[in-house]
Amino acid sequence: MSNGKDLANMIGDTEGVWLLMDNKKTMDQLQKEVDQYISQFKEGYFSPLAMVARLTEELGELAREVNHYYGEKPKKNSEEEKTIEEELGDLLFVVICLANSLDISLEEAHDRVMDKFNTRDKDRWTRIESRDEDGTN
């Protein structure tokens, strides 16, 4: 086999092969995983407005952790130990829930925003000059 695409074509499972090869999930896989989890409950997804409130709540928890690690407000001894990684995961879960409930592909949304940044904002920021292999210009 020369690459994962050859293997994927042979067994007809492109998505699964790439997951096995690099052990990373695609955004589509993340959305499907969250949907399978939520679909097992009668309540289903919260309303979009409730999920935006949840996003705000989770963003506040992330901000609190960032402030504890990088800001001037150390954590109290009595406070539960959480990590920035955990809070980012919570935030991502709610973003995926919101997208799923509105039938939005986050992969397509990402592609649109990257196209916007690469066209509209292409000259907005100062680019790093290209460097030689040894790290010099």
Side-chain angles (χ1 to χ4, degrees):
M1 295 292 137
S2 63
N3 63 37
K5 287 183 182 179
D6 292 337
L7 179 59
N9 289 333
M10 284 183 64
I11 64 171
D13 182 12
T14 306
E15 198 170 294
V17 168
W18 286 117
L19 181 60
L20 288 172
M21 288 187 63
D22 65 8
N23 206 20
K24 295 184 184 197
K25 298 175 185 176
T26 66
M27 186 57 69
D28 186 54
Q29 289 168 325
L30 292 174
Q31 285 192 253
K32 286 177 182 174
E33 184 178 8
V34 168
D35 191 60
Q36 287 172 349
Y37 173 76
I38 295 295
S39 295
Q40 65 184 327
F41 304 109
K42 288 180 183 179
E43 294 81 2
Y45 290 105
F46 294 157
S47 72
L49 187 58
M51 282 192 270
V52 169
R54 291 247 358 253
L55 279 173
T56 303
E57 178 185 337
E58 296 298 346
L59 183 58
E61 291 176 14
L62 173 62
R64 184 174 180 84
E65 288 305 310
V66 169
N67 195 20
H68 287 317
Y69 285 98
Y70 301 105
E72 290 73 36
K73 187 178 179 186
K75 194 171 278 212
K76 296 176 190 173
N77 291 337
S78 60
E79 286 185 279
E80 182 181 339
E81 186 65 33
K82 289 191 175 182
T83 65
I84 292 172
E85 179 182 22
E86 181 180 350
E87 297 304 338
L88 282 170
D90 290 346
L91 195 58
L92 179 60
F93 179 82
V94 180
V95 166
I96 291 171
C97 285
L98 179 59
N100 283 355
S101 75
L102 298 173
D103 198 29
I104 293 172
S105 163
L106 287 172
E107 188 172 324
E108 289 175 17
H110 169 77
D111 289 346
R112 280 194 203 104
V113 78
M114 290 308 299
D115 182 60
K116 178 176 63 176
F117 290 140
N118 287 318
T119 55
R120 182 193 74 189
D121 296 339
K122 67 182 173 75
D123 297 320
R124 186 173 185 179
W125 310 106
T126 307
R127 296 201 181 263
I128 298 171
E129 293 180 34
S130 62
R131 298 169 191 223
D132 296 334
E133 286 183 21
D134 65 358
T136 62
N137 288 333

